Amino acid sequence: MSLVQIHSSNPKSRHATTTLFRIGTYIGLLLFFASLCPRLYEFFQSVAPSYLPLLLTFGLTTLSAIGWIASLYTGTTPGIKHNGTQTQGISSRGIGAWILGVLITAFYVYLYFYQDLTAAGFLPLFAPWIDIVDPLARLLANAPADQWFLYGSLYTSAILIMGIRMLYRYRHNRYHILRTLSVMFCQLGLAFLLPAFLRKLQQPEFYFTYFWPLKYDYLFPDSAHSLIQSGGVGVFMFFWGAVMALIATPVLTYFFGKRWYCSWVCGCGGLAETAGDPFRHLSSKSERAWILERWLIHSILVIIILITVLLWANEYAGRSLLGGWTYSAKSLYGLYIGAIFSGVIGVGFYPLLGSRVWCRFGCPMAAILGIFQRCFSRFRITVNGGQCISCGNCSTYCEMGIDVKAYAQRGENIVRASCVGCGVCAAVCPRGVLALENGPVKIGRFSGSDKGALRILKDSVLTRRIYEA
Amino acid sequence: MERLVIIGNGIAGITTALEVRARDPRVRITVISSESKYHYSRPALMYIFMGHLKFRDTMPYPPTFWEKKKIELVHGYVEEIDSSDQKVRLASGTAFSYDKLVLATGSKSNTFGWPGEDLTGVLGLYNLQDLEKLEQLVPNASSAVIVGGGLIGIELGEMLHSRGIHVTFLIRECSYWNSVLPDEESQMINHVIRAENMEIVPSSLLAEILPDSTGRVRAIVTEDGREISCQIVGLTPGVHPNKTLAQAASIPTHKGILVNQYLETRIPNIYACGDCAEIQNEVEGSSRVESIWYTGKFQGETLARNLTGERVTYDPGIFYNSAKFLDLEYQVYGTVQKQNPDDTHYYWCSKNGLHSLRLVERGGALIGVNLMGIRYRHRTCEEWIKQKLSVKEVLPLLGEANFDPEFSKRFEPEIVAAFAEELR
Ligand SMILES: Cc1cc2nc3c(=O)[nH]c(=O)nc-3n(C[C@H](O)[C@H](O)[C@H](O)COP(=O)(O)OP(=O)(O)OC[C@H]3O[C@@H](n4cnc5c(N)ncnc54)[C@H](O)[C@@H]3O)c2cc1C
Ligand code: SF4
Ligand code: SF4
């Protein structure tokens, strides 16, 4: 018998490299924060070429962090290693988690209210940071950087760095490798580079991975007009948005469940699945949270549908129907739901409430996808007969707060509107009880594992052929 | 029946309580247990220690659930059963009278009277108290010896390893868990253990545990005189039924608490189920103790039916189980015996040595499936065995049983080709 021997490399030398990379990461971060001190930054600017700050902050942090992660995982055997997740530091609501939570929250408040805050006399804190990414903006978009470009750069680096962590962590499981690569690609390629490139070509700003109603204004009359007026590419963008939102969404969800979007494409999901991974177990599993979830998410869906319909009705009535009323509804939604809920609470509270607060309680796109998934979709999580030992790993690591084991221990499949199909419950189960599957809607969708799901039949045709040959 | 008292809130006792409640909304149900107030999953003990889970995560039902189900939970130790007065008395002095009494007291870790087995630093792994002991020992330990191997031994090894303690397994056989597993699968476990830099000392027996001057463990000595220094000794040579209470109450016991196929003890209105029960089959003249999770569940369910007016014998169905050896998953369906001249084995192993499948045929019918690093569907395998399909008939169907995650490499084409060759 041959066996790949996966001997750990010398732990001492591994420890030394880890420390080195860790220090690099800290220095990068320190320089990044130190640059907020205007004097220091001005001095730096006066002596160094313009791209050096970018390299010393973003560059150094990203590379060292990747090295740090790599050195942590080399020499370990592939498999689920959640050792210490619930007892150590940042992932268990320790002091570090609170500090991180406050920092991210402050960042989001400052970001969304930047103009107001600086107008009100607050320091334009981000100015040095915007300066730092400016060379990148000029390179990619041929335009000066603004706070949103800064945000995009930070967001993308977070997904890339922590995405690499996910790739290491789940290197024994192809489902996780593929979906992590997918969210990394969607963020970097489609939500960061492509929009910048379009700007370079003087085309409208557009994100091909976000659809109505998450990106609510893509189906608002204003955007429709401005996109269509901007000519060829804009027309394509508008139709892409409309077709994806109204046709592709139900069709893809029928075949694959909401996961095709929530844990393969979406940027919010992408951040949750990568940067949010250390915090996934913090989601509340209580019955009350489930009730709150259903009320909130569906109310928000109703509100955004109403606003959209009203805006179009108003449009047809020659903008006379409701006067300014629809517009204030639109901007209030943008402020409270689009900014405060999805950003400030949704991401700021990662270290305290878990990684999918927005996706679970707020996102209207998740609400629609969830309705499709629950009512007509081939997707389900199948439970393998009576193998469940009620250990609770699945429920604990479900970022959507689904009490997976409540189903598994009864031998029932999991068909829940909120399930984003991340597959982590199945990966952490020590008895291999759970499998994400797309199967016939009519056969065995709710009952435990039986034969007959299509995926299985395909295999058996294959084996039959080989056997008969 | 008006008042049901259950001793032990493990899977067997709790399943009895829940299944009785489902059939009878009125009966008063009291569950008395000394380890913890709330039912938790014993197999999850290791994950609490390793920081994967908190204790509350291992509770199959939330605390509020018991009120809803009107099941009274008492956290206490039953010291005495008075079967003539139909009463039980707790260590605290409180007494509960019962119409029917269920003993679901579980198991205790085996020890074999080794010299030094009571020293500080020696422990088994069975309950929450063992975890507490372990937490206290770990900060002052750098190496541990685990005696007895088996399913609990490997879990204890992984737990200690996760805290940076060097682990050595002392095993009686020449390969890990070879008393149960066929050689090839057992070898595979040796490999994954060694790949984690843990050690196995094969074919050796424990002679003695040596103390230091403060009465703590300093080392162990094997029967062939080898001394291995360590600060923790894990004794995991299996478990035996916890029959202390039953014996004190003169309820007939042998290996476990003796019950018939209806799970009744010899004393009227007293029943037993789960790990603590030894089920006798009067017809066959055989008896068995089953100490795994799902049999506890099945026994609890059978007992509940018998307590609520039905009369059914216990039928465990076709055997199945699963476990994990570090990162290596293991599943078994049906009967896989190591050496039985009546059996034909079909064994396949992947090139990297981390995935294998074994089909066992007896009298032209499939009787067992053993899997390492591959997951198969429980119901499908059960169906094959029930229908007495031959290996030849099963081969074209193998793919139907695969339960591995999406996008995983499928080994069935290779397996089928290999077995077809053997069958030719
Ligand atoms: C570490 C470990 C891992 C395991 N992993 C697996 C696995 O992966 N798969 C599997 O199938 N099986 C596994 N098992 C075996 C499985 O956990 C047991 O078979 C099962 O828990 C037995 O359930 P039970 O209800 O019979 O008894 P128990 O779970 O032992 O419950 C009995 C309870 O009764 C209480 N009690 C006893 N006497 C008294 C008294 N006089 N007064 C009050 N209370 C009392 C005890 O405190 C205990 O809490 C594992 C066991 C251990 C120890
Ligand atoms: S149920 Fe499983 S797949 Fe669905 S969201 Fe929860 S962890 Fe992810
Ligand atoms: S992780 Fe697996 S064994 Fe544990 S409760 Fe969930 S389904 Fe059951």
Side-chain angles (χ1 to χ4, degrees):
Chain A
M1 185 177 74
S2 70
L3 190 130
V4 188
Q5 292 280 359
I6 333 145
H7 277 294
S8 316
S9 60
N10 179 0
K12 267 204 192 118
S13 71
R14 192 148 50 85
H15 196 72
T17 16
T18 310
T19 313
L20 204 70
F21 280 121
R22 206 159 119 184
I23 292 171
T25 311
Y26 288 156
I27 293 177
L29 284 175
L30 196 74
L31 288 174
F32 191 53
F33 280 100
S35 67
L36 286 181
C37 167
R39 289 250 174 89
L40 212 70
Y41 189 68
E42 272 162 29
F43 167 75
F44 203 72
Q45 257 185 335
S46 63
V47 297
S50 65
Y51 55 83
L52 197 65
L54 182 69
L55 290 184
L56 283 178
T57 55
F58 270 79
L60 183 65
T61 312
T62 307
L63 289 180
S64 320
I66 291 172
W68 181 7
I69 291 164
S71 70
L72 277 180
Y73 284 93
T74 37
T76 63
T77 43
I80 296 298
K81 305 277 149 57
H82 271 300
N83 300 344
T85 301
Q86 300 246 38
T87 46
Q88 286 164 10
I90 208 146
S91 60
S92 64
R93 292 197 184 118
I95 178 82
W98 281 89
I99 295 173
L100 189 66
V102 169
L103 277 179
I104 306 176
T105 307
F107 172 82
Y108 269 96
V109 171
Y110 217 86
L111 178 76
Y112 282 117
F113 303 100
Y114 191 58
Q115 260 79 28
D116 305 327
L117 285 172
T118 41
F122 278 86
L123 273 183
L125 256 193
F126 286 162
W129 283 357
I130 294 172
D131 254 10
I132 288 180
V133 292
D134 194 61
L136 190 65
R138 288 182 195 278
L139 178 78
L140 296 175
N142 207 9
D146 56 6
Q147 96 247 35
W148 297 113
F149 187 83
L150 167 70
Y151 176 48
S153 315
L154 284 169
Y155 201 98
T156 308
S157 339
I159 290 189
L160 293 182
I161 296 173
M162 294 300 275
I164 288 176
R165 176 177 169 279
M166 282 299 278
L167 291 175
Y168 270 110
R169 218 173 156 71
Y170 289 99
R171 61 194 185 280
H172 55 287
N173 188 317
R174 278 199 210 161
Y175 182 74
H176 291 292
I177 294 177
L178 290 174
R179 77 181 177 93
T180 305
L181 287 175
S182 172
V183 291
M184 288 166 78
F185 168 78
C186 287
Q187 177 60 33
L188 177 67
L190 303 181
F192 185 66
L193 294 179
L194 187 61
F197 186 64
L198 286 169
R199 238 171 108 191
K200 194 172 197 162
L201 302 180
Q202 314 275 315
Q203 294 295 342
E205 185 185 351
F206 193 83
Y207 299 89
F208 285 89
T209 50
Y210 288 100
F211 318 117
W212 181 90
L214 172 56
K215 195 80 179 151
Y216 42 89
D217 52 354
Y218 278 8
L219 287 191
F220 282 176
D222 286 4
S223 338
H225 287 310
S226 68
L227 280 176
I228 290 171
Q229 270 162 17
S230 75
V233 179
V235 175
F236 173 75
M237 287 169 175
F238 175 71
F239 279 102
W240 169 265
V243 167
M244 286 309 289
L246 303 175
I247 300 172
T249 296
V251 171
L252 289 171
T253 308
Y254 169 77
F255 283 108
F256 307 113
K258 79 199 263 187
R259 56 185 173 151
W260 75 268
Y261 189 66
C262 297
S263 48
W264 285 72
V265 172
C266 178
C268 307
L271 191 72
E273 291 298 338
T274 52
D277 180 69
F279 312 111
R280 58 186 321 128
H281 56 285
L282 300 174
S283 60
S284 169
K285 311 298 183 301
S286 71
E287 188 111 17
R288 274 166 52 202
W290 187 13
I291 294 169
L292 178 70
E293 163 194 321
R294 283 177 293 182
W295 274 104
L296 265 179
I297 198 170
H298 294 122
S299 312
I300 292 176
L301 175 64
V302 169
I303 292 171
I304 192 63
I305 291 179
L306 273 181
I307 293 177
T308 312
V309 169
L310 278 177
L311 283 172
W312 281 102
N314 194 39
E315 193 68 16
Y316 278 102
R319 301 199 171 209
S320 61
L321 193 60
L322 297 157
W325 207 88
T326 36
Y327 290 91
S328 41
K330 183 177 111 177
S331 55
L332 280 179
Y333 182 90
L335 175 67
Y336 284 104
I337 311 292
I340 297 186
F341 199 160
S342 83
V344 179
I345 300 177
V347 182
F349 285 37
Y350 265 23
L352 303 174
L353 297 177
S355 52
R356 287 263 193 185
V357 174
W358 160 248
C359 312
R360 181 180 177 194
F361 295 100
C363 177
M365 180 83 182
I368 291 196
L369 292 165
I371 293 170
F372 288 140
Q373 169 159 292
R374 182 68 183 74
C375 303
F376 15 75
S377 167
R378 295 163 52 84
F379 173 72
R380 81 290 299 273
I381 301 177
T382 307
V383 168
N384 196 10
Q387 291 280 22
C388 174
I389 50 167
S390 301
C391 70
N393 273 292
C394 52
S395 302
T396 304
Y397 287 95
C398 175
E399 54 193 352
M400 297 304 281
I402 299 173
D403 191 358
V404 183
K405 89 174 167 274
Y407 302 83
Q409 67 196 3
R410 291 197 301 251
E412 280 170 24
N413 286 356
I414 295 100
V415 181
R416 278 278 293 267
S418 62
C419 170
V420 291
C422 65
V424 167
C425 53
V428 297
C429 172
R431 295 294 175 271
V433 176
L434 306 165
L436 279 63
E437 292 188 313
N438 310 309
V441 176
K442 293 223 171 69
I443 308 169
R445 186 160 170 245
F446 294 90
S447 57
S449 90
D450 14 34
K451 19 190 207 167
L454 261 197
R455 170 167 87 85
I456 319 159
L457 286 181
K458 244 184 2 216
D459 282 1
S460 106
V461 171
L462 180 76
T463 47
R464 202 167 279 148
R465 216 185 299 129
I466 289 179
Y467 179 64
E468 283 160 5
Chain B
M1 173 173 62
E2 291 192 336
R3 173 140 206 188
L4 172 67
V5 172
I6 299 171
I7 305 176
N9 70 358
I11 183 67
I14 285 300
T15 308
T16 313
L18 289 174
E19 293 290 325
V20 167
R21 176 55 80 230
R23 289 170 171 78
D24 183 344
R26 272 192 307 273
V27 58
R28 206 171 147 196
I29 305 177
T30 307
V31 181
I32 310 172
S33 204
S34 55
E35 185 182 350
S36 59
K37 179 171 178 194
Y38 296 109
H39 169 53
Y40 77 100
S41 167
R42 191 170 302 289
L45 274 176
M46 65 182 296
Y47 301 107
I48 302 175
F49 183 82
M50 298 200 300
H52 296 205
L53 303 177
K54 292 222 160 91
F55 174 67
R56 77 175 135 71
D57 301 327
T58 68
M59 299 193 308
Y61 308 95
T64 49
F65 174 85
W66 305 106
E67 266 165 53
K68 271 190 231 154
K69 291 281 168 191
K70 294 197 284 306
I71 293 174
E72 185 191 3
L73 303 179
V74 177
H75 189 186
Y77 185 76
V78 179
E79 226 167 39
E80 195 184 311
I81 301 171
D82 180 346
S83 54
S84 50
D85 255 7
Q86 309 228 120
K87 266 197 182 125
V88 300
R89 197 177 52 75
L90 304 198
S92 63
T94 325
F96 292 85
S97 56
Y98 64 82
D99 295 319
K100 310 255 170 172
L101 175 69
V102 173
L103 303 178
T105 50
S107 299
K108 285 183 175 175
S109 304
N110 285 346
T111 52
F112 292 108
W114 286 298
E117 69 181 26
D118 297 323
L119 293 172
T120 310
V122 184
L123 79 177
L125 175 65
Y126 193 80
N127 51 33
L128 291 164
Q129 286 71 35
D130 292 330
L131 277 198
E132 274 169 33
K133 269 196 231 167
L134 207 55
E135 284 291 358
Q136 283 165 8
L137 292 173
V138 160
N140 302 316
S142 62
S143 58
V145 172
I146 292 171
V147 183
L151 291 172
I152 298 180
I154 191 105
E155 291 189 355
L156 184 55
E158 184 175 354
M159 288 157 68
L160 292 166
H161 183 68
S162 79
R163 300 277 184 98
I165 291 174
H166 183 257
V167 175
T168 306
F169 292 96
L170 199 67
I171 56 173
R172 191 176 48 182
E173 293 79 23
C174 56
S175 172
Y176 203 89
W177 214 35
N178 202 202
S179 52
V180 174
L181 283 184
D183 296 349
E184 291 87 348
E185 283 92 334
S186 162
Q187 297 277 338
M188 226 163 171
I189 300 172
N190 291 355
H191 281 282
V192 294
I193 289 176
R194 292 191 173 128
E196 287 279 2
N197 287 331
M198 297 191 228
E199 258 176 82
I200 302 177
V201 182
S203 317
S204 51
L205 294 168
L206 177 67
E208 192 183 351
I209 305 168
L210 303 177
D212 65 7
S213 55
T214 61
R216 291 164 176 275
V217 170
R218 167 172 73 78
I220 61 113
V221 184
T222 64
E223 282 200 341
D224 49 16
R226 194 167 151 189
E227 191 176 311
I228 304 173
S229 91
C230 59
Q231 299 77 42
I232 295 177
V233 176
L235 298 181
T236 59
V239 295
H240 62 273
N242 177 1
K243 52 188 182 184
T244 323
L245 185 62
Q247 276 170 326
S250 307
I251 299 168
T253 62
H254 175 238
K255 270 184 277 176
I257 304 170
L258 290 172
V259 292
N260 61 14
Q261 298 276 77
Y262 303 98
L263 305 175
E264 301 160 333
T265 67
R266 305 275 169 80
I267 310 289
N269 296 326
I270 301 185
Y271 305 78
C273 65
D275 275 24
C276 67
E278 178 175 353
I279 305 173
Q280 293 184 302
N281 187 333
E282 288 89 353
V283 186
E284 290 177 11
S286 61
S287 82
R288 65 164 176 273
V289 174
E290 292 173 326
S291 44
I292 53 176
W293 186 258
Y294 90 86
T295 52
K297 215 168 177 171
F298 282 13
Q299 290 182 23
E301 200 219 64
T302 306
L303 180 51
R305 291 170 66 183
N306 285 333
L307 286 170
T308 49
E310 283 180 67
R311 188 120 181 106
V312 289
T313 56
Y314 171 61
D315 171 19
I318 290 171
F319 179 82
Y320 67 90
N321 205 6
S322 53
K324 207 172 169 189
F325 301 93
L326 304 168
D327 296 316
L328 184 62
E329 289 180 19
Y330 157 67
Q331 287 186 335
V332 55
Y333 300 105
T335 315
V336 178
Q337 286 172 347
K338 257 186 72 178
Q339 284 153 331
N340 188 326
D342 298 339
D343 298 348
T344 316
H345 285 230
Y346 296 87
Y347 178 76
W348 171 90
C349 180
S350 68
K351 284 195 194 71
N352 68 3
L354 292 170
H355 312 270
S356 76
L357 169 72
R358 177 184 299 273
L359 300 178
V360 184
E361 200 177 46
R362 184 180 296 172
L366 179 75
I367 58 161
V369 182
N370 224 22
L371 296 133
M372 307 291 280
I374 307 178
R375 300 173 183 168
Y376 266 21
R377 271 165 221 267
H378 182 179
R379 299 286 175 241
T380 311
C381 294
E382 198 176 69
E383 202 59 25
W384 293 342
I385 297 173
K386 262 192 207 151
Q387 293 185 2
K388 299 195 181 341
L389 297 188
S390 68
V391 167
K392 194 171 175 163
E393 284 166 321
V394 164
L395 277 199
L397 309 173
L398 274 189
E400 287 184 15
N402 190 298
F403 199 69
D404 278 336
E406 291 162 297
F407 304 111
S408 299
K409 182 171 164 49
R410 293 300 155 98
F411 300 105
E412 280 74 19
E414 263 180 68
I415 299 175
V416 171
F419 289 176
E421 191 66 27
E422 275 183 57
L423 277 167
R424 202 164 277 155

